[in-house]
Amino acid sequence: MITQFNIKNQKIKGPLNLSLTINSGQTSQPPWKESNSYFQELIQVEGAPCLVNIKHDDADTDSNLEIIAESTEKVSEKGIKNSVREIFSLDHDLNQFYQFLSEDPKLTPTIEFCQGLRLFNAHNPFECIISSISSANCSILRWTRSVNDIKRKWGDQYHFDSGDFYSFPVPNVLGNVPEHDLEEMQRCEDELPEDFIFENNLQACGVGYRAKYIINAARMIQSEIGIQKVARMRYDEAFDTILQLPGVGPKVADCILLYGFKMGEAFPVDVWIKRIVEHLYFPGEELKPQEVRVFGMERYGDWAGYVQLYLFHYARKSGLLESLRKK
DNA sequence: TTCCAGGTAGTCG
DNA sequence: CGACTACCTGGA
C-alpha cells in the first residue's frame, strides 16, 4: 500500500530547510538516506513499519513538504502526517522563535545562518538514547556509522523497491548482544577457523568502550527505567532518572530529553556551546558546564533547546567555532 | 606518526 | 563535591 500527499505551507509554521535539519548532526538519529532528492527512513506509524519518503525544495523555505509513505500494513494518512510533523518539529513556530532571537542582540545573527533549521526529533526514543550515548567524545561520522551498523546487525529487515531498511533493535535484543570479539567467540558452539572475523558484537560497530554502557543502559531501560515512564515525567525528574544510565552524563541526558522526549527546555552543554556562551555573554571568563546549563535554561526558557541548536550551527558556519578552537 | 573528536566514569584530595 | 585523567576508534 502506498500513500502520497503534501503538507502545505500553512501547515508548517515558518520556514523549513529539510536538508540542513537532517544533516546537522543532531544526536536523535543518523541522517536519513538520500535518494533521488528524497530523504527516506523506516519508522513506526501506528505500530506498523512504514517507509517514509520526503522531499522539500530548500531553496524556497516556505514551499510544500511532499510525503510518500509505503507500508504493507494499513496506516492512516493522519498517522503518517503526525509522525513527520513530530520528527521535523513542523508545529514549532519558527517565526515566533526568530522574534525571540531578535530580542537578544547576541542571538540575532544566528537567524540568517540557520534559516529553516529545525529540531530533528527521534522517531524512536530508545534509538536516540543509544545514539546519544554513542556520540559522547566521538565524531558525528563515527557515531552515525555505529548506529547504522547496530540497526543492520540486530534490527528487523524490511525490503522495499528502493532498498532494504532496518528498524532499531528493542532494548531486550540490544541488551543481550555480545560486547566484544571474545564474548562473541565464547558464545559460539562450533569450532572456528583461526582467521575467523567476529563482527556480530557491539565493539565491532565502532562504539569502543561505550559498548558496555550501551548494553547495560538497554538492560536498565528494559527492567527499571521504562521509556513510557520517562515520557510522562516532567523535565527535572526525567533528567535525574536518565542520568542514572551508564554513559549518560549531563550533556547526553539533555540531548536525550531534547531530541528523544521533545523537552524543549533542555539546554545540552558540550564544549562548543560552553565556549560560545562564554564568548558571547562572559568574555574573558570561564564557566563550569553546569553554570552554562543553568544560564541557558534560565535565559532561554522553553526555547533553550532551539537556541543551543542555533548557536552551534551559527558558530560553525560563521567561522566563530574555528576562532574558539582549543581554548 | 600523532592528534583529536559535540563527555563520562573512576580516582584522589 | 571539585579537579584530574584514561578511554575505543579512525580520519586528517
Side-chain angles (χ1 to χ4, degrees):
Chain A
M1 188 187 82
I2 293 183
T3 316
Q4 176 168 1
F5 54 90
N6 287 10
I7 291 183
K8 300 188 165 79
N9 310 6
Q10 65 268 25
K11 296 285 186 80
I12 303 177
K13 299 195 159 105
L16 167 67
N17 187 326
L18 186 62
S19 172
L20 178 60
T21 298
I22 286 178
N23 293 310
S24 52
Q26 302 178 52
T27 58
S28 52
Q29 62 203 294
W32 287 20
K33 182 180 173 189
E34 192 166 5
S35 171
N36 296 325
S37 73
Y38 280 88
F39 290 100
Q40 312 174 290
E41 183 55 289
L42 179 81
I43 67 174
Q44 295 290 128
V45 179
E46 293 161 348
C50 181
L51 180 63
V52 172
N53 308 262
I54 51 176
K55 184 162 90 170
H56 185 257
D57 177 14
D58 290 333
D60 176 6
T61 54
D62 293 321
S63 61
N64 288 6
L65 180 64
E66 180 188 327
I67 303 175
I68 302 175
E70 308 170 42
S71 179
T72 54
E73 298 178 41
K74 175 94 180 135
V75 177
S76 77
E77 181 173 315
K78 186 177 179 191
I80 294 163
K81 198 181 290 189
N82 284 342
S83 295
V84 170
R85 299 169 71 80
E86 289 258 287
I87 293 167
F88 297 98
S89 48
L90 301 183
D91 289 318
H92 292 158
D93 188 340
L94 281 196
N95 288 325
Q96 190 186 321
F97 176 52
Y98 294 166
Q99 177 62 36
F100 172 82
L101 291 177
S102 68
E103 287 164 7
D104 182 339
K106 303 293 188 186
L107 300 180
T108 305
T110 66
I111 299 175
E112 63 168 308
F113 283 92
C114 305
Q115 200 64 220
L117 174 61
R118 288 171 180 268
L119 288 176
F120 188 23
N121 289 313
H123 62 269
N124 176 341
F126 178 58
E127 175 183 20
C128 176
I129 292 172
I130 302 305
S131 289
S132 302
I133 292 175
S134 306
S135 74
N137 193 27
C138 191
S139 67
I140 296 173
L141 188 68
R142 210 182 118 195
W143 72 256
T144 55
R145 208 203 59 189
S146 294
V147 172
N148 283 326
D149 279 356
I150 290 171
K151 292 169 71 172
R152 198 145 17 81
K153 286 176 186 176
W154 299 292
D156 295 324
Q157 184 186 68
Y158 296 88
H159 181 73
F160 294 89
D161 290 340
S162 50
D164 290 333
F165 290 81
Y166 300 81
S167 62
F168 193 83
V170 297
N172 184 36
V173 170
L174 195 56
N176 290 290
V177 304
E179 185 187 330
H180 40 52
D181 288 359
L182 181 61
E183 197 174 329
E184 184 184 346
M185 183 182 74
Q186 288 169 340
R187 291 196 198 181
C188 198
E189 302 284 332
D190 311 315
E191 282 299 315
L192 296 169
E194 286 290 323
D195 58 350
F196 185 84
I197 297 178
F198 295 97
E199 47 190 15
N200 276 315
N201 65 79
L202 250 191
Q203 276 201 338
C205 299
V207 297
Y209 58 85
R210 303 165 195 80
K212 196 185 308 287
Y213 302 156
I214 291 170
I215 289 171
N216 288 328
R219 291 176 179 170
M220 283 179 68
I221 286 164
Q222 197 205 349
S223 57
E224 321 157 41
I225 302 172
I227 298 283
Q228 301 310 322
K229 205 192 295 181
V230 176
R232 282 192 293 270
M233 295 176 181
R234 282 171 312 138
Y235 171 80
D236 288 332
E237 189 188 356
F239 183 81
D240 291 337
T241 303
I242 217 82
L243 210 51
Q244 300 177 64
L245 293 173
V248 175
K251 189 269 180 183
V252 168
D254 273 329
C255 281
I256 291 171
L257 296 181
L258 177 60
Y259 299 119
F261 294 90
K262 305 180 183 67
M263 297 185 183
E265 66 267 51
F267 190 69
V269 176
D270 58 46
V271 54
W272 294 113
I273 290 298
K274 177 178 170 307
R275 290 173 189 171
I276 295 164
V277 167
E278 285 168 351
H279 170 77
L280 292 177
Y281 295 94
F282 307 92
E285 285 185 59
E286 175 128 11
L287 306 197
K288 279 168 260 182
Q290 167 65 4
E291 295 174 322
V292 178
R293 174 169 173 264
V294 171
F295 170 82
M297 290 200 296
E298 288 180 349
R299 186 175 181 103
Y300 308 131
D302 289 339
W303 290 117
Y306 257 104
V307 171
Q308 169 264 168
L309 179 63
Y310 270 56
L311 277 179
F312 182 71
H313 287 278
Y314 156 70
R316 184 188 243 179
K317 289 199 210 171
S318 67
L320 177 59
L321 217 55
E322 276 306 313
S323 69
L324 294 177
R325 188 169 290 279
K326 68 172 171 127
K327 232 184 268 189

